Amino acid sequence: MIRHLVLFKLNDGVTKDDPRVPAAVAAFEKVGTTVPQLREWQIGWNVTERDIAYDFAINSLVEDREALQAYLTHPDHVAAAGLWREFATWVIADFEV
């Protein structure tokens, strides 16, 4: 199994009230229901106020590297990531569990 983690940081001047943000969150909510390779799917906003904290997170689980690649190239994932590119940066980690 591979755990896929993504942490998003909203760009300077962008807040959760920006109309693009809820649309992008909804797009990732959809990913959790449409990508068959996902074994687990959790998304959510950071709840702490620390300078080093990121703003939004994805925690997911897939079976193997092939499933991860299928997830990454799934049209719904590609579309959702494209929305986030407009107003955020992110870091990822993929590790075997």
Side-chain angles (χ1 to χ4, degrees), residues 7-80:
L7 300 175
F8 294 87
K9 177 74 95 175
L10 299 177
N11 293 339
D12 288 340
V14 177
T15 67
K16 292 193 310 187
D17 296 331
D18 183 306
R20 297 173 296 174
V21 175
V25 171
F28 269 136
E29 287 172 346
K30 179 181 177 185
V31 167
T33 64
T34 61
V35 179
Q37 290 79 11
L38 291 170
R39 299 291 173 252
E40 293 179 11
W41 183 254
Q42 299 171 316
I43 64 172
W45 288 101
N46 175 46
V47 297
T48 64
E49 304 240 355
R50 301 185 312 168
D51 291 341
I52 63 170
Y54 277 68
D55 299 306
F56 189 81
I58 292 174
N59 177 22
S60 60
L61 185 69
V62 295
E63 191 69 33
D64 52 29
R65 290 175 190 237
E66 291 79 23
L68 179 62
Q69 187 60 33
Y71 155 73
L72 293 174
T73 58
H74 190 283
D76 289 341
H77 173 266
V78 172

